[in-house]
């Protein structure tokens, strides 16, 4: 039998040929914690009697949900991670001094590389599969086990082959592709499976697009998302001090897949996920015709807080003003993105238009801070979830969209087609 890329990654790690459905104990290259989940892992680590990390180079903590601290509880919670990092002299510890949203920051730092097995106590850890790695979310106690042993148990997932064809339109992005996939198969359509993205569209997709697609694989129930290493991956990694030597794997031509999905991306327009599920996808044309009034537009999160998101927002906002009834909040994914966006003039354009730019944080996405929705308020957001109460009040509504749509909507006050915004 031939193998998928995911089967090859696990085979390389366990030292024998393995296939989907097998349960294996695999070494882990990078374990990722954050300020919400790591304190639980630290308690489990200490309760076990462990006195050292099995793989200090392969453990990182990123304080990104409630940092800078929003209240006393979050300050005390962050201190647990800070004290642990200091005690064990952690090399890969990131707080306000070098902050970023974990799934944007670690690729930027070269800490996740092709061929890795990666886990994190955050469901959107699947983001890193965009680099040709196996990456998935686990629980905090699973994280503790990996901290102690350097590995963990996995059931090698079956794979769904997603064949993308055609060149995307100007305002169709990786976010729209994954929203379309979730619309097609539902929020549990890829349960414990890998979404493997392939096809003639892939060379047209930037790393930012690929990160967005893999990021939201979990919203279809997937264990992971993955895109094979290519020239675009190589270019992204070229200026980064990589933590490990990349190991390049590709699926065999006749590998076994449980399902194949085919999407003509050239014919795909931007997709808007209506409340209250990411699978409740509608075309942008439908959303515009539904005349959906918004109170807030949000551009950011681990899904769409990258430089390309700020670029497209700035292009649309330049010379315009945010609608008087709308709050535009922009959250860059990392400090490096803030610096680059500032040099390129994007931050000035956003602020001149009436938007506010926050520090890198997950806060707004999970209804924590930096963008809470009040009763009955409506937001268009580039985040990944639109469940009841996800960004604030249980009576609020969140429509998921790409960054171009969010920027255009901020100007008009209604969910809008960015092509209709002219300079």
């Amino acid at each position: 039998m031939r193998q998928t890329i995911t089967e090859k990654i696990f085979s390389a790690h366990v030292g024998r040929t393995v296939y989907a459905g097998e349960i294996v104990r695999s070494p882990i290259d990078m374990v990722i914690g954050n300020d919400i989940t790591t304190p639980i892992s630290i308690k489990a680590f200490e309760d076990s009697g462990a006195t050292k990390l099995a793989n200090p180079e392969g453990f990182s903590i990123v304080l990104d949900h409630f940092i800078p601290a929003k209240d006393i509880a979050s300050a005390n919670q962050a201190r647990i991670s800070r004290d642990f990092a200091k005690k064990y002299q952690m090399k890969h510890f990131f707080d306000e001094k070098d902050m970023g949203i974990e799934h944007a920051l670690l690729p930027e730092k070269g800490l996740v590389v092709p061929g890795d097995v990666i886990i994190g106590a955050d469901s959107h850890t699947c983001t890193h599969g965009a680099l040709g790695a196996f990456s998935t979310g686990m629980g905090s106690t699973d994280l503790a086990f990996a901290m102690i042993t350097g590995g963990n148990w996995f059931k090698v997932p079956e794979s769904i082959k997603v064949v993308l064809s055609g060149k995307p339109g100007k305002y169709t992005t990786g976010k729209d592709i994954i929203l379309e996939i979730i619309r097609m198969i539902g929020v549990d359509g890829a349960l414990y499976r890998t979404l493997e993205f392939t096809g003639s569209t892939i060379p047209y997709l930037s790393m930012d697009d690929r990160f967005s697609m893999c990021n939201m694989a979990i919203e279809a129930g997937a264990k992971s998302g993955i895109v094979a290493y290519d020239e675009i991956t190589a270019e992204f990694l070229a200026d980064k001090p990589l933590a490990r030597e990349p190991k390049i794997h590709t699926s065999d031509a006749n590998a076994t897949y449980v399902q194949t999905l085919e999407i003509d991306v050239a014919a795909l327009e931007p997709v808007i996920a209506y409340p209250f599920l990411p699978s409740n996808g509608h075309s942008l044309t439908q959303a515009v015709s539904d005349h959906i009034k918004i109170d807030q537009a949000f551009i950011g999160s681990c899904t769409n807080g990258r430089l390309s998101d700020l670029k497209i927002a700035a292009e649309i906002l330049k010379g315009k003003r945010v609608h008087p009834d709308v709050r535009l909040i922009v959250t860059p994914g990392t400090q490096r993105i803030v610096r680059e966006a500032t040099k390129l003039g994007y931050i000035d354009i956003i602020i001149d238009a009436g938007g506010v730019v926050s520090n890198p944080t997950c806060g707004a996405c999970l209804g924590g801070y930096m963008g809470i929705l009040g009763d009955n308020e409506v937001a268009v957001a580039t985040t990944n979830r639109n469940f009841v109460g996800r960004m604030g009040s249980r009576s609020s509504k969140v429509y998921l969209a790409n960054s171009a749509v969010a920027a255009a909507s901020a100007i008009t006050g209604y969910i809008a087609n960015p092509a209709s915004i002219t300079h």
Side-chain angles (χ1 to χ4, degrees):
M1 288 176 62
R2 299 297 180 122
Q3 291 181 295
T4 64
I5 184 173
T6 299
E7 291 167 330
K8 288 184 177 182
I9 290 171
F10 275 111
S11 295
H13 278 72
V14 303
R16 63 181 177 85
T17 303
V18 300
Y19 295 99
E22 293 188 47
I23 295 175
V24 301
R25 182 165 171 174
S26 172
I28 295 171
D29 299 289
M30 180 54 68
V31 176
I32 308 167
N34 61 50
D35 50 317
I36 301 295
T37 58
T38 308
I40 303 169
S41 304
I42 290 171
K43 185 178 188 305
F45 178 90
E46 292 175 341
D47 287 349
S48 76
T51 58
K52 65 177 183 178
L53 293 165
N55 179 15
E57 290 286 329
F59 181 45
S60 63
I61 300 176
V62 184
L63 306 188
D64 61 0
H65 281 62
F66 294 135
I67 300 301
K70 77 179 184 75
D71 53 24
I72 295 169
S74 59
N76 288 334
Q77 189 168 23
R79 185 170 182 175
I80 296 170
S81 293
R82 290 194 180 104
D83 288 347
F84 185 87
K86 184 176 181 179
K87 179 179 179 179
Y88 289 94
Q89 298 180 319
M90 282 186 59
K91 181 179 178 181
H92 306 308
F93 176 72
F94 305 97
D95 61 4
E96 286 98 335
K97 297 175 183 64
D98 192 5
M99 72 188 313
I101 298 172
E102 57 194 302
H103 308 311
L105 185 67
L106 295 192
E108 183 180 283
K109 296 290 186 183
L111 293 177
V112 287
V113 302
D116 274 359
V117 169
I118 303 158
I119 69 165
D122 183 275
S123 60
H124 293 106
T125 303
C126 48
T127 305
H128 309 294
L131 292 167
F134 175 82
S135 191
T136 194
M138 284 188 165
S140 294
T141 50
D142 294 304
L143 214 72
F145 184 78
M147 290 161 62
I148 297 164
T149 68
N152 217 317
W153 292 94
F154 299 86
K155 180 181 178 182
V156 181
E158 299 173 314
S159 293
I160 295 174
K161 188 175 187 178
V162 181
V163 183
L164 307 171
S165 61
K167 182 179 180 180
K170 182 176 181 180
Y171 296 114
T172 299
T173 69
K175 178 66 165 288
D176 303 296
I177 293 170
I178 189 62
L179 284 175
E180 175 66 4
I181 291 167
I182 299 166
R183 185 198 65 78
M184 291 170 65
I185 66 176
V187 293
D188 60 355
L191 201 62
Y192 212 100
R193 291 171 172 170
T194 291
L195 287 175
E196 183 179 328
F197 303 103
T198 70
S200 63
T201 302
I202 297 297
Y204 294 111
L205 299 177
S206 69
M207 282 307 306
D208 289 357
D209 285 315
R210 300 174 189 199
F211 283 129
S212 294
M213 288 159 50
C214 290
N215 175 272
M216 290 190 67
I218 183 62
E219 313 310 339
K223 189 70 174 173
S224 63
I226 198 163
V227 182
Y229 178 99
D230 62 7
E231 292 180 1
I232 292 172
T233 323
E235 184 179 353
F236 174 81
L237 295 172
D239 65 344
K240 296 170 178 60
L242 301 184
R244 290 164 296 285
E245 186 70 25
K247 295 179 176 61
I248 313 305
H249 301 282
T250 56
S251 294
D252 295 321
N254 58 348
T256 300
Y257 295 91
V258 293
Q259 186 179 358
T260 299
L261 301 175
E262 297 185 1
I263 297 175
D264 179 3
V265 176
L268 181 67
E269 64 174 294
V271 178
I272 311 299
Y274 284 34
F276 290 99
L277 286 173
S279 58
N280 191 13
H282 297 261
S283 69
L284 177 58
T285 298
Q286 179 66 52
V288 171
S289 68
D290 285 344
H291 209 54
I292 301 164
K293 189 177 187 300
I294 65 168
D295 301 288
Q296 179 170 299
F298 177 80
I299 299 171
S301 84
C302 61
T303 314
N304 285 110
R306 294 179 173 81
L307 189 63
S308 63
D309 297 295
L310 274 62
K311 179 185 180 191
I312 190 67
E315 288 175 352
I316 291 168
L317 290 165
K318 189 172 184 179
K320 302 290 191 298
R321 289 289 296 174
V322 171
H323 192 280
D325 296 335
V326 175
R327 307 181 299 273
L328 170 62
I329 301 170
V330 178
T331 299
T334 69
Q335 295 284 54
R336 180 176 176 177
I337 293 171
V338 174
R339 287 178 182 274
E340 290 298 315
T342 301
K343 289 177 185 176
L344 294 166
Y346 304 157
I347 302 298
D348 281 345
I349 291 170
I350 292 165
I351 293 173
D352 288 345
V356 61
V357 180
S358 83
N359 60 278
T361 175
C362 303
C365 178
L366 77 158
Y369 78 145
M370 291 287 187
I372 301 294
L373 296 177
D375 292 342
N376 301 309
E377 287 193 318
V378 177
V380 59
T382 68
T383 53
N384 40 50
R385 289 179 178 157
N386 58 350
F387 307 146
V388 173
R390 171 67 178 181
M391 290 185 70
S393 169
R394 291 184 61 81
S395 63
S396 65
K397 294 180 180 179
V398 178
Y399 291 79
L400 303 180
N402 69 35
S403 298
V405 172
S409 303
I411 295 168
T412 64
Y414 294 83
I415 292 182
N417 187 336
S420 69
I421 308 296
T422 56
H423 297 302

